[in-house]
Amino acid sequence: MIHYNFKRDVNHLVGPILLETLLTFLLGGVDTFMLSQYSDAAVAAVGVDNQILSLVFLLFTIINAGTSVLCAQYLGAGREEKFIRVGIVALALNLVVGIAVSLTLFLGADSILTLMGLRPELMVYGRPYMQIVGGMAFTQAISTTVSTILRSAKMPVPPMMVVGVVNVLNIMGNYILIFGKFGMPEMGAEGAAISTSISRVVAMVLLVVILRWRLFTYVPQKLFAHFPTHELRNLLKIGMPSAGENISYNLQQLTLLYFINMLGNDELTARTYIVNVVMFVYMYAICIAQASSIMVGHLTGLGKTQAAYQVGRFSWRRGALVTLSFSVLCALCGPFIADCLTDNPTIAKLVCTCFWVDVLLEVGKCVNIWATNTLRATGDILYPFYLGLVVQWAVGVLFGYLLGITLGFGLVGMWFAFVLDENIRGILFVRRWNAFKWANKSFVN
């Protein structure tokens, strides 16, 4: 039985992380909901944009994945100077990557969206959104890195407060710029992009100030007397396979999005609505997985393997129970949710049907989210990558095309393919954890 203090510590971390994640999801979800009152076509175009942006932003997780593991393990082992050194190296690397990504997305928006097969009637919404939000990608690079450092130090409250402020700004900005209020022109998707970008700039500035004030108050110059080769090597050693799993998953989703685009605008729009609603269903799973990874990282740094196992076991069981409950509730409320989003009966029917299929998907998805975070925190970085690479493509993509396109079951058929993919991986991850195959892989010796 897990000790009460572990439950208390996990719950202490989950609360602020949950609020921050909720507000972060709202930051993207608000754009979709408010644009749904403007145009279904705008929603479809922005949905494609955000899938591409999500994939590209995963480049930042190459560094952040390593940052999370090393910072947690070094703090657990009491090595604060190593913690500071890793954090500063991570910020510098992601700033360089962020600037490169910003330039690529701004200059290549047309080519990228054309490659994705976005139709001309949607390009008028997709192009400006991609150029504006993508062109400010570097702000996201810095913000996510700072948030990772703060969470690793068991300080999840400041990022939560920053995202709260940013959400208020984004909602106000969307209202003014999408619909043309207070003398501003009606800008639609372009207005949503401007509002989102301004909000992210504010978030970046606030988070950097908090990091300097709370953690990096004094940075000894001797820490950087030599080029940080060791930290850079470990960041990439953890980050490459960790980000590889996420990149594989998002490439899989991008491929399936291409297939859905072949089905038509109704299916593409329905998929955008579904994705933006069900992310609230598995939001708790993301939060308890992040809390679990922080706790497990600290315990691994201390060499307490059995305690780390108990924390992980408690976390995935709690996450699965909560996620399953919310997925059933979402399916029951499907008709009401669909009515709030669209007047198109075809889109509404697709949304409601996929919500019920999604109930079968969410438990597996919850376990996968937990496992990739928690195994990485122990130093077991290769197994999630290899498992994801094989199952996501051999099951998710292959059966998605077979059920959705070849056999003609459309969007609903593809969702059944997602069910197979997520649950097969979930079962294998649980077996891995219970077998202690992750033990003795710590980076702190």
Side-chain angles (χ1 to χ4, degrees), residues 44-240:
V46 169
V48 174
D49 280 355
N50 282 330
Q51 188 66 57
I52 296 169
L53 290 169
S54 295
L55 174 62
V56 174
F57 286 176
L58 282 174
L59 290 172
F60 310 145
T61 68
I62 293 175
I63 303 303
N64 288 343
T67 305
S68 176
V69 174
L70 292 176
C71 284
Q73 290 191 8
Y74 281 136
L75 281 177
R79 301 170 69 176
E80 293 186 7
E81 287 192 351
K82 296 287 282 184
F83 162 76
I84 293 173
R85 189 175 168 95
V86 166
I88 291 177
V89 171
L91 283 167
L93 286 173
N94 262 349
L95 176 60
V96 173
V97 174
I99 291 172
V101 167
S102 293
L103 290 172
T104 300
L105 292 175
F106 180 79
L107 298 174
D110 266 336
S111 300
I112 294 169
L113 293 173
T114 300
L115 185 64
M116 279 299 299
L118 195 69
R119 282 177 281 278
E121 66 270 21
L122 301 183
M123 189 68 79
V124 66
Y125 302 110
R127 182 191 301 108
Y129 192 92
M130 175 68 78
Q131 288 180 324
I132 296 169
V133 176
M136 298 298 290
F138 71 92
T139 63
Q140 190 73 351
I142 297 299
S143 295
T144 55
T145 307
V146 175
S147 292
T148 298
I149 296 168
L150 290 170
R151 286 179 178 176
S152 298
K154 293 186 177 180
M155 295 174 59
V157 174
M160 174 199 73
M161 296 176 66
V162 168
V163 177
V165 171
V166 166
N167 259 278
V168 174
L169 291 176
N170 188 50
I171 291 171
M172 293 171 58
N174 276 352
Y175 178 71
I176 294 170
L177 298 176
I178 291 175
F179 304 108
K181 304 297 182 180
F182 302 108
M184 296 297 293
E186 185 178 287
M187 302 176 72
E190 186 175 358
I194 293 171
S195 176
T196 298
S197 296
I198 291 173
S199 300
R200 285 178 173 170
V201 170
V202 173
M204 178 189 69
V205 172
L206 290 176
L207 285 167
V208 169
V209 169
I210 291 169
L211 180 68
R212 186 75 175 88
W213 175 49
R214 297 293 298 276
L215 287 178
F216 292 177
T217 53
Y218 173 67
V219 181
Q221 290 186 358
K222 67 177 183 178
L223 292 182
F224 298 95
H226 305 286
F227 187 80
T229 305
H230 179 70
E231 286 74 18
L232 178 59
R233 182 172 61 246
N234 275 344
L235 283 171
L236 294 176
K237 183 177 179 180
I238 300 169
M240 292 297 286

Side-chain angles (χ1 to χ4, degrees), residues 241-262:
S242 301
E245 191 277 335
N246 279 325
I247 291 170
S248 172
Y249 176 79
N250 277 268
L251 278 173
Q252 176 214 42
Q253 293 297 304
L254 202 60
T255 302
L256 291 166
L257 183 63
Y258 181 82
F259 297 158
I260 294 169
N261 190 39
M262 293 165 58

Side-chain angles (χ1 to χ4, degrees), residues 399-419:
F399 279 85
Y401 185 84
L402 179 65
L403 294 175
I405 305 296
T406 305
L407 298 180
F409 291 110
L411 188 64
V412 177
M414 290 188 178
W415 233 261
F416 273 109
F418 304 161
V419 171

Side-chain angles (χ1 to χ4, degrees), residues 385-435:
F385 170 62
Y386 291 136
L387 181 63
L389 192 64
V390 173
V391 179
Q392 285 163 8
W393 293 89
V395 177
V397 173
L398 179 61
F399 279 85
Y401 185 84
L402 179 65
L403 294 175
I405 305 296
T406 305
L407 298 180
F409 291 110
L411 188 64
V412 177
M414 290 188 178
W415 233 261
F416 273 109
F418 304 161
V419 171
L420 289 173
D421 170 24
E422 298 284 0
N423 283 281
I424 290 172
R425 284 187 289 130
I427 291 169
L428 294 174
F429 275 133
V430 170
R431 291 182 61 184
R432 178 80 171 183
W433 188 253
N434 288 335

